[in-house]
Amino acid sequence: MKVGIIGLGFVGLSFASVLGSKGYYVIGVESDRNKVSKIIRGEPPFYESKLTNTLKMASKKLFRVSTDIKLVVNQCDLIFVTVGTPQMKDGNIDLNMIKSTASEIGKSLSKTKNKPIIIIKSTVVPGTTQNLIKPILEKNSKKITGVGFGLITNPEFLREGKAMDDTRKPHIVVIGGDDKNSIKKVKEFYCNIYGTKIPMIITNTQTAEMIKYANNSFLATKISFINQIANICQSVAGTNVENVARAIGLDPRIGNQFLKAGPGYGGSCLPKDLQTLIRFSSKSGIDPLLLKAVQKTNASQVRMVVSLIERSLVKVKGKKITILGLSFKEDSDDIRESVSIKLINALLKRNAVITVHDPKAIENTKETFENRIRYAYSIKDALRHSQCAVIMTPWKEYGRLTNNDFRTMKRKLIIDTRRLFIGHNLNAEYHAIGVG
Ligand code: UGA
């Protein structure tokens, strides 16, 4: 069994590395030559815990990288498409990469006897595989789906920061398709990797695409819900959202995950997918009232952080504020849609003097703010002479800080958006989201 993976971004490289480390013959295709050289050197182009080792293991076995789609179309039995579908400035999803990939696959299919199954893992709006990808493949290959090649939709649910664990042991596999033979082969492939006990949903392509959007939108809904509860808790003295979340999370109908209140969700997926579903729903004539409220609640959460800062500092202008954590979540260097970036922008508008720290995301942040803010490479340096420290990303090292670390601050004021210091005996003015 030869596996091709087109697009070595987050999902593609994680998947390729895990399959490769398990001994599968994998050809990864990536158009960015810079990325290709890095991957060949065994260096992932982004930070993901455990990926470097897995990639090295894969490279020692049968994982190869190329820039040539033809190679995988000629040789592979299964071809996973994991190219990005980013958001455009107008909020719509950019399908250009997936369109050009489908057309290149189609052209190569026209010249080969190989009959691979094309498996769409990229997140695409319901109907895209049927109405866009399939016609492009058929037109360029002059072959019919289910005869000259197979076509499956297979959304991905891995999380950044946990990509290796999630890829090795996903909670579910969703397979969407119309032709029984392709579904059977993809099902067998996954059963070989994950065993037969893994929950599998077999459905059509549109439903598989919808599952991905519903999943991410529901996660976003849970976060906005608990953030709203947190904000209410803040106005009731003595209330702590942590205990509220723990209690309601024990109700099996609710579940205990994604109930961590904070500054709002970010990243390259939840905000984008919710926005796409809102647009898609509106175009379909359904006013997505709940989804819009989730989005609005999330956008307003950064204002809650600003108001906590303003309430304590009164005048933000000229004040030295330290931001601890820039990535949209811990164990990641990704700052896409990170609430920290939104907060820095809001504070710069108020003429605050900003110093930032993050264990992994400083280099990415430099590209956004250049010399408008100061970058500290140690927490100690970040806190020295500061008049307010704002904890934004729940990196483990921030949770280990003690009074000794805060002693060099000019004013010991801590705004904790993740409640890392509840129960710690801090000798500081302390305000946390969700604590009244
Ligand atoms: C999300 C989904 O969780 C994955 O299942 C999905 O595969 C992925 O999008 C995708 O579509 O590719 P990811 O963006 O890596 O994964 O990050 P999450 O773990 O979902 O976190 C998103 C944001 O929510 C972060 O800013 C995080 O800090 C925030 N969050 C998460 C909370 O504020 N509270 C929580 O309880 C959980």
Side-chain angles (χ1 to χ4, degrees), residues 10-11 123 156-161 166 171 212 215-216 219 222-223 226-227 256-273 327-330 337-339 392-394 418:
F10 214 88
V11 170
T123 301
E156 177 56 55
F157 300 96
L158 69 78
R159 297 160 292 175
E160 290 192 26
D166 288 352
H171 69 279
K212 171 73 188 185
N215 206 94
N216 272 357
L219 293 174
K222 269 188 118 174
I223 300 169
I226 200 66
N227 282 344
N256 60 9
Q257 294 194 39
F258 273 67
L259 286 179
K260 282 259 171 237
Y265 58 80
S268 63
C269 304
L270 263 47
K272 175 193 80 158
D273 291 352
S327 54
F328 82 104
K329 68 191 285 192
E330 68 279 27
E337 292 296 315
S338 169
V339 186
M392 288 296 286
T393 315
R418 306 282 185 163

Side-chain angles (χ1 to χ4, degrees), residues 21-204:
S21 69
K22 285 178 182 283
Y24 280 83
Y25 190 118
V26 181
I27 306 175
V29 177
E30 172 56 55
S31 56
D32 182 334
R33 286 179 189 276
N34 204 8
K35 271 192 194 171
V36 170
S37 335
K38 280 191 172 171
I39 294 167
I40 289 172
R41 287 201 302 272
E43 296 165 19
F46 47 83
Y47 173 72
E48 174 65 37
S49 156
K50 302 182 197 164
L51 177 57
T52 310
N53 281 344
T54 315
L55 173 59
K56 278 193 181 134
M57 235 194 291
S59 306
K60 279 186 197 149
K61 296 184 178 175
L62 296 170
F63 173 43
R64 301 289 172 265
V65 190
S66 169
T67 51
D68 189 4
I69 285 187
K70 252 198 320 286
L71 198 69
V72 294
V73 177
N74 288 340
Q75 293 191 15
C76 294
D77 308 287
L78 304 180
I79 300 174
F80 290 87
V81 177
T82 51
V83 297
T85 49
Q87 199 170 359
M88 296 192 289
K89 282 218 169 82
D90 67 0
N92 278 314
I93 164 174
D94 183 352
L95 292 172
N96 281 323
M97 262 188 278
I98 203 141
K99 282 200 236 170
S100 62
T101 304
S103 115
E104 268 197 70
I105 295 175
K107 282 178 197 148
S108 300
L109 275 172
S110 72
K111 295 179 198 134
T112 181
K113 284 199 176 117
N114 192 24
K115 292 181 182 177
I117 303 174
I118 319 296
I119 303 157
I120 309 298
K121 247 194 192 304
S122 306
T123 301
V124 290
V125 285
T128 305
T129 302
Q130 273 303 317
N131 305 329
L132 186 78
I133 299 173
K134 184 177 162 181
I136 295 178
L137 285 168
E138 290 189 337
K139 185 176 157 224
N140 286 283
S141 66
K142 300 185 186 65
K143 289 180 179 171
I144 293 167
T145 314
V147 182
F149 62 92
L151 184 58
I152 292 289
T153 304
N154 170 224
E156 177 56 55
F157 300 96
L158 69 78
R159 297 160 292 175
E160 290 192 26
K162 303 250 179 344
M164 290 303 96
D165 295 344
D166 288 352
T167 309
R168 284 198 188 102
K169 204 172 181 291
H171 69 279
I172 192 175
V173 169
V174 175
I175 300 172
D178 297 325
D179 100 81
K180 286 197 178 111
N181 193 30
S182 298
I183 292 175
K184 189 170 159 260
K185 283 190 178 148
V186 175
K187 199 176 156 187
E188 275 167 13
F189 168 75
Y190 277 120
C191 284
N192 277 334
I193 312 176
Y194 301 130
T196 47
K197 288 204 179 111
I198 178 145
M200 260 193 209
I201 300 291
I202 311 290
T203 181
N204 56 31

Side-chain angles (χ1 to χ4, degrees), residues 207-225:
T207 309
E209 290 159 338
M210 190 67 203
I211 288 169
K212 171 73 188 185
Y213 282 97
N215 206 94
N216 272 357
S217 300
F218 192 75
L219 293 174
T221 305
K222 269 188 118 174
I223 300 169
S224 277
F225 173 82

